[in-house]
Amino acid sequence: MFRRLREDIDSVFARDPAARNFFEVLTNYPGLHALLAHRCNHWLWQKNLKWLARTLSTLTRWLTGVEIHPGAKIGRRFFIDHGMGVVIGETAEIGDDVTLYHGVTLGGTSWNKGKRHPTLEDGVIVGAGAKILGPFTVGAGAKIGSNAVVTKAVPAGATVVGIPGKIVKRDEPDMEEMPDFDPERREAIRKKFGFDAYGVSQDMPDPMARSMQAMLDHMHAVDERIERMCSTLRKLDASYREGKLPELRDEDFAEILEDMDGCCPPAEAEETPRQGRPNPPGDKATGTGE
């Protein structure tokens, strides 16, 4: 028992740089208090003293702000940082070296009896406010981002963020696919327009960025195919001439630009009144303002 206690305290030192000494950790870390109480409550639960186990777990929740059902299975070196608001359901299973931050919920999505809560394998880290809901497995070494809502299984070593949770990184990804576009052509188009739309790059982990990149790649592929078609038509018909797209003139958008300018005047307009436009009443620039 004392060896397990020492192991739990050492895990705090390993994962919290604010921990200074043994006595401070033992007396001032509610996550450690909740874990020690749970080990006792879980033993009572297994001995079929379920009312007593639930009552003690409720008292522990009042004292620490951490609610751990006595039926939950927790491995070694489990660490709850800060602790407040953590909820761990009855059928949850937690492996070794798992870290939870405050506000984490390991909950269920069904009222049926049986396995309802998630299983966290060894080395999982769950960020503050994350919700992991359902009877699935989060693989070893996975990381769940703060405030993520995870409702599907997570492979080992993956990183999940967002609502709903999306995998943005894999520890051992599949073989990288070769791009079906010409990187040099993409760069040429980027230089032609003078910017890279939305600052999207191929290696960005954001799922929305990847979706945008896929649309840009499709646009580049369509543009290349049209040019090939035009080239073929010129070869088949010497009289074929490639038409040019009409240019966009400022005059065509004068009214729209004027409306936008009126809604959101530039910073310079606030300091210097425009020529040909009357100054608003009370403007200090006219000398009539109060």
Side-chain angles (χ1 to χ4, degrees), residues 16-238:
D16 186 3
R20 296 186 300 175
N21 55 65
F22 185 94
F23 184 73
E24 181 183 83
V25 171
L26 186 61
T27 56
N28 292 287
Y29 275 69
L32 177 63
H33 301 159
L35 175 60
L36 298 178
H38 171 73
R39 298 203 189 283
C40 177
N41 298 336
H42 184 66
W43 183 84
L44 294 173
W45 184 268
Q46 291 180 317
K47 298 299 182 182
N48 209 30
L49 300 173
K50 297 187 176 181
W51 179 88
L52 181 58
R54 286 301 304 273
T55 301
L56 293 177
S57 69
T58 301
L59 293 174
T60 303
R61 183 188 64 179
W62 290 349
L63 295 173
T64 65
V66 178
E67 181 175 347
I68 306 177
H69 193 285
K73 299 177 182 179
I74 297 179
R76 304 174 67 173
R77 297 177 296 277
F78 177 58
F79 177 49
I80 304 176
D81 199 1
H82 298 292
M84 183 62 66
V86 170
V87 177
I88 301 176
E90 176 187 3
T91 61
E93 299 180 29
I94 299 175
D96 299 336
D97 302 300
V98 173
T99 302
L100 304 185
Y101 288 85
H102 56 279
V104 169
T105 298
L106 305 183
T109 56
S110 171
W111 290 348
N112 299 325
K113 292 186 179 295
K115 179 67 172 173
R116 307 184 305 279
H117 303 92
T119 296
L120 309 186
E121 294 185 344
D122 298 347
V124 171
I125 299 176
V126 184
K131 316 299 178 187
I132 305 178
L133 310 174
F136 54 84
T137 299
V138 178
K143 297 179 177 63
I144 309 299
S146 296
N147 296 317
V149 177
V150 184
T151 58
K152 296 181 180 179
V154 178
T159 299
V160 178
V161 299
I163 303 175
K166 295 181 177 62
I167 298 174
V168 297
K169 180 181 178 183
R170 293 177 181 268
D171 187 29
E172 296 181 357
D174 298 332
M175 183 178 297
E176 184 177 359
E177 298 180 358
M178 296 300 295
D180 55 359
F181 58 87
D182 185 357
E184 294 182 359
R185 177 170 177 78
R186 172 190 283 180
E187 182 65 16
I189 293 177
R190 186 192 69 80
K191 291 181 178 179
K192 176 181 177 181
F193 290 102
F195 71 101
D196 195 359
Y198 294 96
V200 177
S201 62
Q202 181 69 16
D203 57 351
M204 290 187 69
D206 185 6
M208 293 299 296
R210 289 184 179 276
S211 299
M212 183 65 67
Q213 189 65 64
M215 289 189 290
L216 291 174
D217 292 340
H218 180 75
M219 180 188 70
H220 298 162
V222 170
D223 183 64
E224 183 177 1
R225 180 169 296 183
I226 291 176
E227 288 192 7
R228 290 179 179 176
M229 292 172 60
C230 292
S231 177
T232 302
L233 288 173
R234 285 194 296 270
K235 293 179 180 179
L236 294 176
D237 185 0

